[in-house]
C-alpha cells in the first residue's frame, strides 16, 4: 500500500444553484442562474474556502447553470475570477457533458477518473443524480429529500478515487449557502 492510499480523499458534491425557470424542456440546459442563485453559489464558495475545502479538481456539468455555479463558487472562494487567486492555485476544471442528467453510477464513474494526487474534488451536477450519488456513497447519512439548490454534501474516504464505491465515503457535512 502506498502513502497515497493512507490519505483521506474529500469529495464535495454540489447541486447547482437556483436557476431561472425555463419555458420548455428544449432549453433546460441553457437556463441561467437567478440572482439568488448567483449569491448562493458565491456563498458556497466562501464556505468551502473557510473550511479549507478548496478543490484540486472540479468536475462540472456543461449545463449553463452549473457552469455559472462554478464561476460564482470560484469567485466566492478566491474573491477573484476562477483563473486563480490569493487562496491558492487554480484547480483543474473538467466540463463533462455526461454529468448532465446523469445517474449516480455515471457520476461515480466520472469521480473515479480524478487524478490520484488530488485530495479534494468538487462535483457540480443536477438532481436527482447528485443526491442519489450522495446516498450511494453513504446510505445511512442521507435523507429522502435530497440536496437543495446550492447545497453541499461533503464525503470523505481513505480510498483512492479509482477505488471509490458504494457505501465507502461517509457523509461528514451538509451545508446550504442560504442557511
Amino acid at each position: 500500500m502506498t502513502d497515497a492510499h493512507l490519505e483521506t480523499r474529500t469529495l464535495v458534491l454540489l447541486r447547482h444553484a437556483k436557476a431561472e425557470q425555463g419555458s420548455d424542456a428544449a432549453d433546460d440546459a441553457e437556463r441561467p442562474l437567478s440572482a439568488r442563485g448567483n449569491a448562493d453559489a458565491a456563498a458556497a464558495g466562501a464556505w468551502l474556502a473557510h473550511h479549507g475545502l478548496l478543490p484540486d479538481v472540479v468536475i462540472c456539468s456543461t449545463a449553463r447553470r452549473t457552469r455559472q455555479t462554478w464561476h460564482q463558487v470560484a469567485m466566492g472562494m478566491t474573491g477573484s475570477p476562477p483563473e486563480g487567486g490569493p487562496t491558492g492555485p487554480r484547480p483543474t476544471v473538467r466540463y463533462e457533458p455526461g454529468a448532465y442528467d446523469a445517474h449516480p453510477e455515471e457520476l461515480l464513474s466520472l469521480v473515479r477518473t480524478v487524478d490520484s494526487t488530488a485530495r479534494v474534488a468538487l462535483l457540480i451536477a443536477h438532481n436527482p443524480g447528485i443526491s442519489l450519488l450522495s446516498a450511494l456513497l453513504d446510505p445511512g447519512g442521507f435523507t429522502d429529500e435530497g440536496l437543495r439548490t446550492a447545497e453541499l454534501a461533503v464525503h470523505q474516504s481513505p480510498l483512492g478515487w479509482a477505488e471509490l464505491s458504494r457505501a465507502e465515503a461517509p457523509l461528514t457535512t451538509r451545508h446550504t449557502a442560504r442557511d
Side-chain angles (χ1 to χ4, degrees), residues 4-173:
H5 283 86
L6 300 175
E7 295 183 38
T8 299
R9 304 297 193 294
T10 301
L11 174 61
V12 180
L13 305 178
L14 173 59
R15 181 178 174 198
H16 65 79
K18 179 93 173 138
E20 297 290 344
Q21 293 299 315
S23 58
D24 59 35
D27 70 352
D28 182 67
E30 290 304 315
R31 290 190 300 131
L33 291 184
S34 66
R36 186 185 99 195
N38 280 299
D40 289 349
W47 185 90
L48 288 170
H50 179 75
H51 289 86
L53 294 172
L54 298 175
D56 301 305
V57 175
V58 176
I59 300 171
C60 185
S61 160
T62 54
R64 184 176 182 186
R65 61 190 176 275
T66 51
R67 289 181 285 122
Q68 289 178 333
T69 296
W70 163 240
H71 181 81
Q72 292 301 324
V73 165
M75 294 285 287
M77 287 188 315
T78 66
S80 64
E83 288 77 36
T87 57
R90 67 179 168 185
T92 300
V93 181
R94 294 175 24 206
Y95 294 100
E96 293 284 349
Y100 181 77
D101 201 25
H103 295 285
E105 295 82 7
E106 294 167 318
L107 293 173
L108 182 57
S109 291
L110 290 173
V111 171
R112 287 179 179 147
T113 65
V114 169
D115 185 287
S116 64
T117 62
R119 296 290 148 245
V120 179
L122 172 62
L123 173 62
I124 306 171
H126 311 265
N127 263 351
I130 195 85
S131 291
L132 293 172
L133 175 58
S134 188
L136 179 88
L137 294 171
D138 183 0
F142 209 76
T143 59
D144 289 338
E145 60 265 5
L147 291 171
R148 297 174 5 191
T149 55
E151 186 170 5
L152 299 152
V154 181
H155 292 264
Q156 293 189 319
S157 178
L159 298 175
W161 298 113
E163 293 89 34
L164 201 57
S165 62
R166 180 180 299 271
E168 294 289 348
L171 178 68
T172 59
T173 306

